[in-house]
Amino acid sequence: MTSVELRLEVRPAIEADLPVLRALYRDAVLGVGRTAYSAEQVDVWVNFSAEAGFEGFILSADTYVALKQGAIVAFCGLADEGHLASIYVGRAHQRCGIGLALLNYVLARHPHPSSGRYYTEASEFSRPLFLRAGFHLVGIEKVQRNGVGFERYLMERAPFET
């Protein structure tokens, strides 16, 4: 395990973490989702944690978990090509710097994305986090999930200079 600021321990996610990550995902979405999304959108979003695709969502990227006092409080996944697949912080730990610390940690572990850039599809409430991490808005897309429309912010940034 590696320590980063905010007294966090960070390690790669493993398959045995999936039940905890499912619960953390649900908690994170419920924690701030209703501040920017309809109840129908939140329901579709939160229910993804119970779908078969959730395991691939976690394990197909290089996903790291942040632990505070031995408990997983956040996770962040980044694929080799630079796609930031996930970043979720549990409700009790949101808005206190853990997301940014974990994001910076994960980006530093992947300094040379094969696409030459980092990119993501940000939610309304994760967009400020990405802006603080040096990402910029390149577009907005509208997607459908289980018949419910969502607007996502397409964001990217250059890799670290080495």
Side-chain angles (χ1 to χ4, degrees):
M1 288 190 204
T2 305
S3 295
V4 293
E5 60 188 82
L6 301 176
R7 299 181 195 258
L8 297 175
E9 294 178 35
V10 178
R11 64 163 171 78
I14 57 174
E15 191 169 350
D17 294 327
L18 285 169
V20 172
L21 298 182
R22 285 180 197 277
L24 189 146
Y25 174 94
R26 290 179 61 83
D27 182 61
V29 172
L30 290 171
V32 294
R34 289 189 172 95
T35 64
Y37 294 92
S38 71
E40 185 180 36
Q41 288 171 314
V42 172
D43 287 345
V44 167
W45 193 356
V46 79
N47 287 333
F48 174 63
S49 67
E51 294 177 13
F54 187 83
E55 183 175 326
F57 172 66
I58 299 297
L59 300 176
S60 66
D62 288 332
T63 300
Y64 292 82
V65 296
L67 298 95
K68 195 165 191 177
Q69 298 176 335
I72 296 174
V73 297
F75 67 89
C76 180
L78 180 67
D80 288 340
E81 80 275 0
H83 180 240
L84 189 66
S86 64
I87 185 151
Y88 288 87
V89 178
R91 190 183 323 202
H93 302 286
Q94 292 173 353
R95 310 282 186 229
C96 63
I98 290 173
L100 185 59
L102 181 58
L103 176 58
N104 285 331
Y105 177 91
V106 170
L107 293 176
R109 296 298 167 278
H110 294 79
H112 304 291
S114 62
S115 68
R117 67 189 175 108
Y118 300 112
Y119 62 98
T120 195
E121 303 83 24
S123 67
E124 183 66 40
F125 59 83
S126 66
R127 184 172 53 151
L129 168 70
F130 290 111
L131 290 171
R132 285 192 301 278
F135 284 72
H136 63 277
L137 182 66
V138 295
I140 298 173
E141 72 174 354
K142 295 182 186 297
V143 297
Q144 292 277 321
R145 297 285 181 254
N146 297 335
V148 177
F150 288 86
E151 195 170 84
R152 302 190 308 183
Y153 300 93
L154 306 176
M155 303 185 78
E156 66 178 41
R157 67 164 273 187
F160 293 100
E161 303 262 337
T162 57

